[in-house]
Amino acid sequence: MAAGAVPSSICGLKSTDHGLSFRKSVDFIKVSDLRRVRAPRSKVLVITNVKPGPEIAEMQPASEGSPLLVPRQKYCEDVHKTVRRKTRTVMVGNVALGSEHPIRIQTMTTTDTKDVAETVEQVMRIADKGADIVRITVQGRKEADACFEIKNTLVQKNYNIPLVADIHFAPSVALKVSECFDKIRVNPGNFADRRAQFEKLEYTEEDYQKELEHIEKVFTPLVEKCKKYGRAMRIGTNHGSLSDRIMSYFGDSPRGMVESAFEFARICRKLDYHNFVFSMKASNPVIMVQAYRLLVAEMYVQGWDYPLHLGVTEAGEGEDGRMKSAIGIGTLLQDGLGDTIRVSLTEPPEEEIDPCRRLANLGMEASDLQLGVVPFEEKHRHYFDFQRRTGQLPVQKEGEEVDYRGVLHRDGSVLMSVSLDQLKSPEIVYKSLAAKLVVGMPFKDLATVDSILLRELPPVQDSEARLALKRLIDISMGVLTPLSEQLTKPLPNALVLVNLKELATGAYKLLPEGTRLAVSVCGDEPYDDLDILKDIDAATLLHTVPYGGKISRVHAARRLFEYLENNALNFPVIHHIVFPQGIHRDDLVIGAGSTAGALLVDGLGNGVLLEAPEQDVDFPRNTSFNLLQGCRMRNTKTEYVSCPSCGRTLFDLQEISAQIREKTLHLPGVSIAIMGCIVNGPGEMADADFGYVGGAPGKIDLYVGKKVVKRGIDMELATDALIQLIKDHGRWVDPPTDE
């Protein structure tokens, strides 16, 4: 290979997989240049380059004047700091989207679109909350007729907020509503294709080309009409509603999502229509991040600059929904990707605006300040697939009095900060750590904190507090304490927290031989300072960056992980965030999800330690476990895929969702989808074991995976029928009883 060129590769999902199992890498440059090769009893995907030749990715300086070369093939403007990706301006009514404008926030109505008065009232409430754009479902002719009246009524009331028509399966409806609404959202998976049956289809090249010609025939009139009226468009792929044709060739995968959108984008470009944006939504934040990155990498190769609409679909409600959205949207914002966002919650749409604004502000601040670290060569992080870095968890050593193997968890660790005052009530502390109590004695349970940080040790003579700590250590819970505390008030078998300066000065050598160490690092230190880690046997590293400083936590951590990989150091790393006093709960959730989550979705990290002064102890613990579960690491409760509701919803989604959660929350490892209608139902349930889907007014269909197993159940009987279905498949356990 010629100097100055490197191969560029991504990993492809197995077409039969719906989770995160990956096969070997395949060379990649252009998703759009796939040749489909028919072979006996199999199909082969051959990915070809735009310009055939050995040089498939040029090199360029990491920054101006830098001797460090990095691949030109990329998915964001800069991997060392947050730089907003340059995108063209797309006009949605009177609102401009693109990198020259603020990140726009939007939501979607939940009313019956035919009810003009109720829909108008909801749009007005949303606008008053500060949304920039509102989407309304338009599923048929009657709804399209209502849209004219909705628009006119809003204008008469001096509400000029742009309206977006959400279209599935209905090209003729899209044509009609484009005459009055400012933007049309089309789903490439079902705009021209039939509803997916999740069948593996065999195509000849001629068959495939005919389907593409059919798509062009159906889609072209809408493009021409949008050009005529100056309307915008979103080509919005959903992981859950890819066509059988796409899934047969590309699998139910990020690559399939990108190719699905590009089929429509090529038609737009052929017709010289460019007032459109892309979205790549999924209910799984890891899949969502991969899809957007793959999309942008391909746009860089193509030289396209279309804006991005970011969102995690079917995120759910409450903290769960906010966390999933923060992980998916926040990760991309940290890399400068995203021009408009929606936080999809199973709550009234106006309640989405506040967390949406907090996320947008976080992204704008990071890009305005261009937070980051000095350039470094990044060779080990996997941008387009999930490959978890495995740190070496503590192992038992000969002669040790206690078992250290439980201080970290193999699927992701949760650490908590405990104060000296809290230790005055040992049983309350045990409960705050989610330990199971048997006759007042603590035992670890499924969602028990793995280790605690005690910044101040109790006096040696405080026998009650020290007994409480001993009982925690005896159940293999780690107790971390600063070096100064351990030297003055030694606690037997504690893990001692040291920093690089204390390692460099040798102060830690005052500890008894064999003392377990935890090392606090920032990640932006000179490599010479980090080199001392090569001579240390540490149980774990705590990645700690001052909150609100000028250093980007995400980029500093990436630099740290690159250093560890380059030097074959396999310490586990805990993401340690100390939040300021008085922080709003949503800011805590969003901050943790968009920083620690941005690293965990790349497989970088072994757990979290969230310190939140003034917050009750349960909140940071629950947030930590939600973060790990949202990043597809450690499951400690039932997983829900819950749509945010819209005009298609066939039941009270918030009420039913709460009812189902109340009865099933105690089933860790079980995933339940609660879907208001069938549009994204079976597909978005790719991650779910069981599904509860509105099939008709007052009727519910139950699914196992993507397969419907019971139809038309009366709504008042459906929750019990769902529970019985879970029991029939051997996944039910009775709720735990209080001690």
Side-chain angles (χ1 to χ4, degrees):
M1 180 174 292
V6 295
S8 180
S9 64
I10 64 170
C11 287
L13 274 167
K14 295 178 182 177
S15 62
T16 55
D17 284 355
H18 310 302
L20 294 174
S21 178
F22 293 86
R23 64 184 179 194
K24 64 182 181 181
S25 297
V26 294
D27 286 338
F28 166 80
I29 275 292
K30 284 177 70 68
V31 167
S32 58
D33 284 349
L34 290 171
R35 267 194 303 119
R36 301 168 188 85
V37 181
R38 190 160 173 81
R41 291 162 47 169
S42 67
K43 287 193 296 295
V44 180
L45 289 179
V46 179
I47 301 177
T48 60
N49 298 321
V50 190
K51 298 178 181 178
E55 296 184 8
I56 62 176
E58 295 180 37
M59 302 293 284
Q60 63 181 8
S63 59
E64 188 175 354
S66 170
L68 176 65
L69 297 179
V70 296
R72 189 179 297 277
Q73 168 76 16
K74 59 183 182 179
Y75 77 91
C76 65
E77 287 292 306
D78 196 316
V79 296
H80 310 111
K81 61 183 177 181
T82 302
V83 178
R84 196 163 173 197
R85 170 179 165 260
K86 298 297 182 184
T87 59
R88 69 173 59 223
T89 293
V90 167
M91 294 303 300
V92 184
N94 58 359
V95 172
L97 297 183
S99 58
E100 299 301 315
H101 312 282
I103 296 172
R104 303 300 187 181
I105 59 180
Q106 57 180 283
T107 185
M108 186 173 184
T109 59
T110 58
T111 56
D112 181 346
T113 307
K114 297 189 298 297
D115 189 332
V116 173
E118 189 177 357
T119 301
V120 166
E121 285 298 319
Q122 191 171 71
V123 171
M124 290 166 58
R125 291 197 300 272
I126 290 168
D128 291 342
K129 283 281 189 176
D132 297 305
I133 300 170
V134 179
R135 181 158 43 116
I136 298 173
T137 188
V138 189
Q139 62 266 52
R141 287 281 180 179
K142 292 180 180 179
E143 288 80 7
D145 289 338
C147 288
F148 288 84
E149 193 173 346
I150 290 169
K151 182 70 171 180
N152 290 335
T153 304
L154 286 167
V155 170
Q156 291 168 11
K157 294 177 179 287
N158 293 319
Y159 281 83
N160 294 310
I161 187 168
L163 302 180
V164 183
D166 193 61
I167 303 293
H168 298 267
F169 307 111
S172 62
V173 173
L175 283 170
K176 184 174 181 62
V177 79
S178 66
E179 296 174 9
C180 66
F181 273 17
D182 305 282
K183 182 179 176 184
I184 308 297
R185 180 272 171 117
V186 297
N187 183 339
N190 59 35
F191 186 81
D193 284 303
R194 67 190 179 103
R195 188 189 303 278
Q197 304 299 310
F198 304 98
E199 299 172 346
K200 184 72 173 178
L201 303 178
E202 294 290 335
Y203 286 91
T204 64
E205 183 69 21
E206 183 181 1
D207 292 336
Y208 201 98
Q209 188 59 38
K210 284 182 178 179
E211 292 221 3
L212 294 181
E213 291 170 1
H214 170 70
I215 290 172
E216 183 169 357
K217 180 180 179 181
V218 173
F219 186 49
T220 292
L222 177 62
V223 175
E224 291 177 335
K225 201 160 188 180
C226 285
K227 281 186 67 177
K228 176 182 177 181
Y229 286 98
R231 307 305 187 202
M233 186 184 296
R234 170 158 67 97
I235 301 174
T237 303
N238 268 24
H239 181 228
S241 52
L242 297 176
S243 68
D244 285 330
R245 174 178 49 79
I246 286 290
M247 288 191 286
S248 293
Y249 271 105
F250 304 97
D252 188 4
S253 67
R255 183 176 297 158
M257 295 170 68
V258 174
E259 179 61 17
S260 182
F262 266 59
E263 290 178 350
F264 280 67
R266 292 186 204 109
I267 297 168
C268 290
R269 290 177 58 83
K270 180 179 178 180
L271 298 169
D272 195 27
Y273 173 72
H274 302 280
N275 200 42
F276 66 88
V277 305
F278 283 113
S279 66
M280 297 276 125
K281 294 193 179 185
S283 59
N284 179 334
V286 180
I287 291 289
M288 173 262 198
V289 169
Q290 292 168 13
Y292 275 103
R293 285 175 173 173
L294 188 56
L295 170 75
V296 176
E298 172 64 1
M299 281 204 281
Y300 274 123
V301 173
Q302 297 274 9
W304 296 0
D305 60 354
Y306 300 106
L308 297 178
H309 168 126
L310 304 184
V312 176
T313 191
E314 278 83 40
E317 64 183 7
E319 188 188 326
D320 286 357
R322 287 160 174 79
M323 178 58 78
K324 283 185 183 179
S325 293
I327 293 167
I329 298 171
T331 295
L332 296 167
L333 292 176
Q334 293 285 350
D335 278 320
L337 304 180
D339 303 284
T340 178
I341 63 176
R342 183 205 174 181
V343 175
S344 299
L345 301 175
T346 310
E347 299 177 18
E350 53 267 37
E351 297 302 316
E352 295 181 355
I353 304 306
D354 182 66
C356 197
R357 182 183 295 110
R358 293 175 191 274
L359 260 174
N361 290 344
L362 181 149
M364 289 299 297
E365 180 182 6
S367 60
D368 287 346
L369 298 176
Q370 294 202 351
L371 297 177
V373 293
V374 295
F376 62 95
E377 188 175 5
E378 190 173 43
K379 300 180 296 185
H380 296 94
R381 183 166 64 95
H382 298 271
Y383 306 153
F384 304 112
D385 67 327
F386 181 84
Q387 294 188 25
R388 186 177 172 192
R389 174 188 178 270
T390 55
Q392 176 60 57
L393 301 182
V395 296
Q396 198 65 12
K397 298 179 180 179
E398 187 176 351
E400 288 183 323
E401 298 176 354
V402 298
D403 188 352
Y404 287 101
R405 290 172 295 181
V407 302
L408 297 178
H409 194 283
R410 67 185 181 192
D411 295 329
S413 305
V414 170
L415 283 70
M416 265 184 63
S417 177
V418 173
S419 70
L420 205 54
D421 283 343
Q422 289 170 325
L423 272 180
K424 293 177 182 178
S425 304
E427 286 202 12
I428 294 177
V429 170
Y430 300 153
K431 289 180 179 179
S432 72
L433 302 175
K436 192 172 184 178
L437 293 180
V438 179
V439 197
M441 299 291 287
F443 291 89
K444 278 194 171 180
D445 205 357
L446 184 69
T448 303
V449 169
D450 301 292
S451 293
I452 64 171
L453 171 63
L454 198 60
R455 293 190 178 275
E456 185 180 358
L457 286 173
V460 175
Q461 62 271 23
D462 189 344
S463 57
E464 185 176 354
R466 293 205 159 226
L467 177 60
L469 292 173
K470 180 181 183 302
R471 286 175 173 167
L472 293 176
I473 292 171
D474 286 344
I475 62 171
S476 197
M477 183 177 292
V479 176
L480 284 71
T481 193
L483 175 63
S484 58
E485 287 293 300
Q486 184 67 4
L487 289 176
T488 55
K489 297 175 284 187
L491 177 70
N493 304 308
L495 287 83
V496 179
L497 183 61
V498 297
N499 56 39
L500 293 179
K501 182 178 180 181
E502 289 167 334
L503 291 179
T505 61
Y508 74 99
K509 295 180 181 178
L510 297 172
L511 296 167
E513 186 177 352
T515 299
R516 297 277 189 151
L517 298 179
V519 183
S520 178
V521 295
C522 180
D524 73 328
E525 299 92 345
Y527 289 136
D528 288 347
D529 291 355
L530 290 172
D531 282 344
I532 198 168
L533 295 174
K534 299 175 184 178
D535 304 319
I536 296 298
D537 181 17
T540 186
L541 304 184
L542 264 60
H543 178 245
T544 309
V545 174
Y547 187 88
K550 295 183 178 180
I551 300 170
S552 164
R553 173 180 297 277
V554 171
H555 297 91
R558 290 174 181 170
R559 180 177 181 270
L560 172 64
F561 282 108
E562 196 65 35
Y563 172 84
L564 295 176
E565 291 300 307
N566 287 336
N567 291 279
L569 299 174
N570 61 348
F571 302 121
V573 178
I574 302 299
H575 298 297
H576 181 200
I577 307 177
V578 183
F579 292 98
Q581 289 191 349
I583 187 169
H584 190 282
R585 285 193 169 198
D586 278 0
D587 284 330
L588 190 153
V589 172
I590 289 168
S594 58
T595 53
L599 296 158
L600 295 174
V601 294
D602 279 337
L604 302 178
N606 300 84
V608 290
L609 166 55
L610 306 181
E611 291 194 73
E614 299 179 355
Q615 295 286 355
D616 65 80
V617 290
D618 291 341
F619 185 69
R621 184 194 73 237
N622 291 334
T623 300
S624 299
F625 280 111
N626 286 342
L627 174 56
L628 294 181
Q629 186 152 329
C631 292
R632 294 307 195 260
M633 292 176 66
R634 183 174 174 181
N635 280 322
T636 52
K637 63 181 182 181
T638 312
E639 179 76 12
Y640 296 97
V641 178
S642 179
C643 82
S645 186
C646 70
R648 292 183 177 87
T649 302
L650 297 169
F651 55 85
D652 188 327
L653 198 62
Q654 295 173 45
E655 179 183 340
I656 295 298
S657 178
Q659 183 184 111
I660 292 174
R661 284 171 181 264
E662 182 183 3
K663 296 185 177 183
T664 62
L665 190 61
H666 64 287
L667 302 173
V670 173
S671 179
I672 300 173
I674 309 168
M675 313 296 287
C677 71
I678 199 63
V679 166
N680 286 331
E684 278 313 340
M685 292 189 295
D687 278 347
D689 302 304
F690 304 96
Y692 180 109
V693 181
K699 301 292 183 180
I700 301 298
D701 298 338
L702 296 182
Y703 286 70
V704 175
K706 295 179 180 179
K707 183 179 180 181
V708 61
V709 293
K710 293 187 177 182
R711 292 187 184 275
I713 302 171
D714 289 340
M715 188 174 298
E716 58 269 21
L717 305 175
T719 300
D720 289 338
L722 172 65
I723 292 171
Q724 187 59 51
L725 187 63
I726 297 171
K727 291 178 178 179
D728 292 344
H729 283 76
R731 305 294 298 277
W732 180 266
V733 295
D734 290 329
T737 56
D738 293 333
E739 183 188 1

